[in-house]
C-alpha cells in the first residue's frame, strides 16, 4: 500500500513540476543580488572568464581572479574590489595553497565559477599524453580541488553558489575532441551529482549552475563553423551565465533551444543521429594524422 501511495505522490510531483516550469517560462524570474559576495573566477584572464568578471563587477561583487598569468587579469579597469592570483588550475597543490591564501587575504569565497579550460583539437592518435592529462586536470579535476577547498565554509553558513562551466560537448560527441568531450561529460556529471548531494545533506542554501554553450569564439578552437548552431561571442555567453546564476538556474544552455534538441537526441535511433551529425557539419581546425586539416 505504501508503494502505491508513493507512486501516486511521485505522479503528482511530476505533473506539478511540469506545470511550475511552464508558468516560470512565461513569468519573469526573480533574481538575487550578488553585491558584496566574494566571487572566485578561474581562467579570469581570457574569454568567458574575463567577460564574466565584468558582469560581477557591475553588480558590486568582490572579485578573486585566478589565471595562469597574474598579468593577464585586468583588475584596475573593473571598477570593483579585485584580487588577482597566478594559479595553474591543473595543479592540485597550487589550488589548495591559493585557496588558503585567499581566505587569509580576502575572506571566505561565497561564489566560485570554475571556468578555466583546456582544449587540444586532434584525433586521438595525434593527441599527446601530456595534453590528455592537462585537459582532464584543468577541465574537471580542478573542479574537485576548488570545490573541496571552498565548500566547508559555504556549508557552515548554508550559503553559496558553485558554477561549473562545461559545454554542449558534455552532452554530445564531436570527432577530434575526445579528451575535451570526455572531460566536459565529467564536468556535467560532477555538477549533477554535487547538486544531488547538497540536497541530500539539506544544504539547500548552496546553489549550483552548469553552463553548456555551443562553440564560443574564444580563439582556443580555430575557425569553428557549423550549419545548425551559431558560433557564439563571449559577451553573450557571459550575459547568459550571469542571468542564470542570478536566477539560480541549474542548467544554462546557450542558446537555450540546445537543451530541447539534446532531449530529442535521447529518443532518436543511431542512424538518425548520424544523419543529423552529417547535416550539422561541424568544422574546426584540428591535427589529424599529424597534419593540420579542417574537420
Amino acid at each position: 500500500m505504501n508503494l502505491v501511495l508513493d507512486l501516486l505522490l511521485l505522479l503528482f510531483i511530476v505533473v506539478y513540476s511540469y506545470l511550475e516550469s511552464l508558468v516560470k517560462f512565461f513569468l519573469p524570474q526573480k533574481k538575487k543580488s550578488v553585491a558584496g559576495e566574494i566571487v572566485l573566477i578561474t581562467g579570469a584572464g581570457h574569454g568567458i572568464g574575463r567577460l564574466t568578471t565584468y558582469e560581477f563587477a557591475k553588480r558590486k561583487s568582490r572579485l578573486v581572479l585566478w589565471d595562469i598569468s597574474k598579468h593577464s587579469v585586468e583588475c584596475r579597469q573593473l571598477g570593483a574590489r579585485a584580487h588577482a592570483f597566478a594559479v595553474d588550475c591543473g595543479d592540485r597543490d597550487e589550488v589548495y595553497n591559493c585557496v588558503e591564501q585567499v581566505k587569509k587575504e580576502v575572506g571566505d569565497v561565497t561564489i566560485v565559477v570554475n571556468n578555466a579550460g583546456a582544449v587540444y583539437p586532434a584525433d586521438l592518435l595525434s593527441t599527446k599524453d601530456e595534453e590528455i592529462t592537462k585537459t582532464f586536470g584543468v577541465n574537471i579535476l580542478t573542479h574537485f580541488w576548488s570545490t573541496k577547498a571552498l565548500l566547508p565554509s559555504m556549508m557552515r553558513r548554508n550559503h553559496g553558489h558553485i558554477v561549473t562551466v562545461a559545454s554542449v560537448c558534455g552532452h554530445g560527441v564531436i570527432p577530434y575532441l575526445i579528451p575535451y568531450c570526455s572531460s566536459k561529460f565529467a564536468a556535467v556529471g560532477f555538477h549533477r551529482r554535487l547538486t544531488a548531494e547538497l540536497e541530500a545533506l539539506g544544504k539547500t542554501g548552496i546553489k549550483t549552475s552548469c553552463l553548456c554553450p555551443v562553440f564560443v569564439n574564444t580563439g582556443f578552437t580555430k575557425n569553428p563553423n557549423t550549419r545548425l548552431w551559431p558560433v557564439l561571442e563571449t559577451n553573450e555567453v557571459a550575459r547568459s551565465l550571469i542571468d542564470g546564476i542570478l536566477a539560480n538556474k541549474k542548467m544554462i544552455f546557450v542558446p537555450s533551444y540546445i537543451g530541447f534538441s539534446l532531449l530529442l537526441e535521447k529518443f532518436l535511433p543511431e542512424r538518425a543521429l548520424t544523419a543529423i551529425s552529417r547535416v550539422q557539419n561541424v568544422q574546426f581546425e584540428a591535427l589529424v594524422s599529424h597534419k593540420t586539416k579542417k574537420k
Side-chain angles (χ1 to χ4, degrees):
M1 186 63 181
N2 288 338
L3 177 60
V4 174
L5 291 175
D6 285 343
L7 291 174
L8 288 173
L9 178 60
L10 175 60
L11 178 62
F12 171 79
I13 292 173
V14 169
V15 173
Y16 178 85
S17 298
Y18 271 110
L19 291 174
E20 182 183 39
S21 297
L22 185 63
V23 171
K24 286 182 177 179
F25 181 79
F26 290 103
L27 293 178
Q29 292 180 303
K30 183 180 179 180
K31 296 183 179 180
K32 65 184 181 184
S33 170
V34 290
E37 300 280 0
I38 300 179
V39 182
L40 190 157
I41 302 172
T42 68
H46 183 83
I48 297 171
R50 185 176 184 179
L51 272 294
T52 302
T53 63
Y54 287 102
E55 294 296 335
F56 275 107
K58 287 189 289 188
R59 291 162 177 82
K60 308 303 181 185
S61 303
R62 294 180 62 189
L63 300 173
V64 177
L65 309 178
W66 285 8
D67 203 83
I68 192 72
S69 171
K70 184 176 180 179
H71 300 291
S72 64
V73 179
E74 297 179 359
C75 290
R76 295 179 181 178
Q77 299 179 20
L78 290 172
R81 295 181 64 183
H83 309 263
F85 298 85
V87 186
D88 179 356
C89 289
D91 188 312
R92 180 186 58 187
D93 292 333
E94 277 198 37
V95 170
Y96 283 161
N97 291 336
C98 197
V99 166
E100 291 304 314
Q101 186 179 355
V102 169
K103 288 180 180 179
K104 293 176 182 177
E105 296 181 11
V106 186
D108 288 330
V109 171
T110 52
I111 300 175
V112 56
V113 181
N114 284 307
N115 164 75
V119 58
Y120 301 94
D123 68 297
L124 181 60
L125 296 181
S126 298
T127 306
K128 299 176 182 177
D129 290 353
E130 56 267 29
E131 291 173 340
I132 296 173
T133 302
K134 184 70 172 180
T135 299
F136 277 85
V138 175
N139 291 1
I140 179 58
L141 291 181
T142 187
H143 294 228
F144 283 88
W145 315 144
S146 62
T147 303
K148 284 189 68 178
L150 297 169
L151 190 57
S153 62
M154 295 185 189
M155 293 184 71
R156 283 194 298 270
R157 300 168 58 188
N158 192 23
H159 174 77
H161 203 132
I162 299 169
V163 181
T164 301
V165 175
S167 167
V168 72
C169 293
H171 300 267
V173 293
I174 296 176
Y176 308 127
L177 288 176
I178 290 179
Y180 180 79
C181 289
S182 300
S183 68
K184 293 302 184 179
F185 264 88
V188 171
F190 172 84
H191 158 74
R192 287 177 171 167
R193 291 305 90 208
L194 177 64
T195 302
E197 186 167 302
L198 290 171
E199 185 175 345
L201 293 170
K203 299 299 180 181
T204 55
I206 304 174
K207 307 302 180 181
T208 59
S209 296
C210 183
L211 175 69
C212 294
V214 297
F215 275 124
V216 186
N217 187 23
T218 60
F220 288 129
T221 303
K222 302 296 183 182
N223 299 320
N225 184 43
T226 71
R227 284 181 175 176
L228 303 180
W229 297 342
V231 176
L232 304 171
E233 296 300 325
T234 51
N235 58 344
E236 60 181 308
V237 178
R239 285 196 300 267
S240 295
L241 176 56
I242 194 70
D243 287 343
I245 293 171
L246 298 181
N248 291 325
K249 192 173 182 179
K250 286 186 170 58
M251 192 65 70
I252 307 166
F253 289 107
V254 189
S256 58
Y257 64 77
I258 291 297
F260 179 71
S261 66
L262 291 173
L263 181 64
L264 285 179
E265 289 184 6
K266 296 182 183 296
F267 301 97
L268 294 175
E270 185 174 348
R271 183 176 297 175
L273 294 176
T274 302
I276 290 173
S277 178
R278 189 162 50 247
V279 172
Q280 173 74 293
N281 192 28
V282 176
Q283 296 186 10
F284 52 90
E285 290 187 11
L287 182 65
V288 182
S289 299
H290 307 287
K291 294 180 181 179
T292 303
K293 296 181 179 179
K294 268 192 177 183
K295 162 63 182 71

